Amino acid sequence: MVRKRKSDQLFYKYFKEWIELYKVGAVRSVTLSKYNMSLQRVYELAPNLKVGEIDRRKYQQLLNDYALTHEKQTTMDFHHQLKGAILDAVDEGLIATNPTRKIIIKGKKPKEKRTKFLNQFEIQALLRQLDLSSEINWDWFILLVAKTGLRFSEALALTPNDFDFSKQKLSITKTWNYKGTTGNFQPTKNQSSKRTLQIDWQTAMQFSQLIKNLDPNKPIFVKNRVFNSTINYRLKVLCTNANIPIITIHSLRHTHASLLLFAGVSIASVATRLGHSSMTTTQETYLHIIQELENQDNDKIMKHLALLI
């Protein structure tokens, strides 16, 4: 009787209860917001869909409707969030068979992609444009992200205590919630994001002087509310002045990783430095670079083999 009543429950209500039960307090607030956005879309697209009615056709139609206004990758993310709740409903016996099997992910034509990373000559041209004054400013922030590959929120959360200048190391243990009206420290994206990075001696020396008189427990760069767009606008000005492609602050992270890969640094080391939870993420993100490096390796192999004859 209870199972029959639950199978007649509207799916968006079941999904809401599932989020509250399994996600609230278990995931970061930004991730929870994405689940709640997905919940809102389910309510808009299928307000009358009952849990027990979900089969492969109805689920595919829900994804198709969502894909009309979203790109393929966003539709995939939507699918993954719904799939967790649906598979639990299958385990509970509320849905007869898994309706998510062999699902086709669609999506509208993606927007023209921005430049994801700069090459070595372009990043050098960008860094030459920086106004590295004797006090902390956003140009110092840009330099540090370029040298470390930190996520935006990770770099904002840095305090003087995170630096170990004697060992030229930087500890990443937290992020800064810049999206809230009042900023505050938050946990890292995942456990793998907690890491210690080696920094070059020049950067270590520069920052040791910049932050020596600052509060050891307060963010170095945050004085007031911070907007991602503020730093991206500064980057736009710098890129324009340097006559290079205009990039975002996140593109500096891609640039850092790309240059390391081209320099011959292993995927495992790059993944660790970026704080990726697995090498698969790194491989998928930088697949085009890895393929290019493999082609270069094939040329080297052929030349080596030719010398053996």
Side-chain angles (χ1 to χ4, degrees):
M1 189 68 181
V2 174
R3 182 176 295 178
K4 176 66 170 64
R5 191 163 61 247
K6 287 199 72 175
S7 65
D8 287 338
Q9 184 181 24
L10 292 172
F11 175 58
Y12 80 84
K13 290 187 176 180
Y14 176 87
F15 188 44
K16 182 179 180 181
E17 291 176 2
W18 183 86
I19 292 171
E20 290 172 351
L21 183 61
Y22 293 105
K23 299 302 173 183
V24 173
V27 297
R28 297 193 312 157
S29 59
V30 64
T31 305
L32 186 61
S33 295
K34 291 177 182 178
Y35 274 101
N36 287 326
M37 286 173 63
S38 293
L39 170 63
Q40 179 63 30
R41 295 298 287 144
V42 170
Y43 174 72
E44 293 169 359
L45 295 171
N48 301 313
L49 179 64
K50 295 179 180 178
V51 176
E53 295 175 342
I54 300 176
D55 55 20
R56 188 179 166 209
R57 289 177 65 87
K58 284 188 172 66
Y59 185 62
Q60 182 69 64
Q61 188 59 56
L62 173 59
L63 292 182
N64 289 353
D65 292 343
Y66 182 88
L68 291 175
T69 54
H70 295 83
E71 293 182 15
K72 193 171 183 178
Q73 183 57 54
T74 311
T75 305
M76 176 66 80
D77 295 340
F78 179 69
H79 160 61
H80 282 311
Q81 293 196 332
L82 266 58
K83 185 178 178 181
I86 289 174
L87 291 181
D88 278 356
V90 173
D91 289 343
E92 293 172 37
L94 307 180
I95 301 174
T97 57
N98 178 9
T100 67
R101 287 186 69 251
K102 297 183 179 179
I103 283 299
I104 306 300
I105 302 298
K106 303 177 183 179
K108 66 177 186 177
K109 185 178 179 181
K111 298 176 184 176
E112 186 177 340
K113 299 296 182 184
R114 288 184 175 182
T115 302
K116 262 196 169 186
F117 61 91
L118 302 176
N119 61 36
Q120 187 166 344
F121 298 105
E122 290 167 341
I123 189 66
Q124 288 172 341
L126 171 65
L127 297 184
R128 283 196 294 269
Q129 294 294 323
L130 296 178
D131 176 20
L132 302 177
S133 61
S134 58
E135 294 185 359
I136 287 287
N137 58 23
W138 290 121
D139 284 23
W140 281 110
F141 182 89
I142 289 169
L143 175 70
L144 190 61
V145 173
K147 290 287 191 84
T148 60
L150 293 181
R151 297 179 178 94
F152 182 62
S153 59
E154 292 173 342
L156 286 178
L158 290 176
T159 66
N161 272 346
D162 294 322
F163 288 84
D164 184 343
F165 295 116
S166 63
K167 296 180 180 178
Q168 294 176 213
K169 290 190 175 182
L170 180 60
S171 296
I172 313 303
T173 59
K174 56 197 176 303
T175 62
W176 184 257
N177 178 23
Y178 64 93
K179 293 183 179 179
T181 52
T182 56
N184 59 286
F185 290 118
Q186 284 191 324
T188 53
K189 185 175 183 179
N190 49 52
Q191 198 60 32
S192 301
S193 296
K194 290 184 178 180
R195 60 203 190 276
T196 301
L197 302 181
Q198 197 78 36
I199 55 177
D200 64 275
W201 67 268
Q202 187 178 28
T203 302
M205 186 173 65
Q206 290 170 322
F207 273 85
S208 68
Q209 296 303 307
L210 280 168
I211 67 176
K212 61 183 179 182
N213 296 320
L214 299 182
D215 188 319
N217 297 305
K218 288 186 177 180
I220 294 167
F221 296 102
V222 179
K223 302 294 183 283
N224 302 297
R225 189 176 178 187
V226 179
F227 295 93
N228 188 287
S229 57
T230 302
I231 293 84
N232 283 335
Y233 179 76
R234 176 58 182 162
L235 259 176
K236 181 179 179 180
V237 171
L238 293 168
C239 290
T240 301
N241 292 342
N243 196 27
I244 59 174
I246 294 172
I247 60 167
T248 64
I249 192 69
H250 192 68
S251 299
L252 282 180
R253 177 171 162 84
H254 287 309
T255 296
H256 180 78
S258 301
L259 293 179
L260 291 181
L261 288 169
F262 277 123
V265 177
S266 71
I267 297 173
S269 295
V270 173
T272 300
R273 191 167 176 86
L274 293 180
H276 284 166
S277 55
S278 74
M279 279 195 295
T280 303
T281 304
T282 316
Q283 289 171 325
E284 290 175 352
T285 306
Y286 302 103
L287 180 61
H288 59 297
I289 295 173
I290 294 168
Q291 289 174 337
E292 186 175 338
L293 292 172
E294 285 177 349
N295 291 335
Q296 292 177 11
D297 285 344
N298 286 334
D299 291 340
K300 292 176 184 176
I301 291 169
M302 291 304 102
K303 288 178 181 178
H304 175 72
L305 292 177
L307 294 173
L308 296 179
I309 300 173

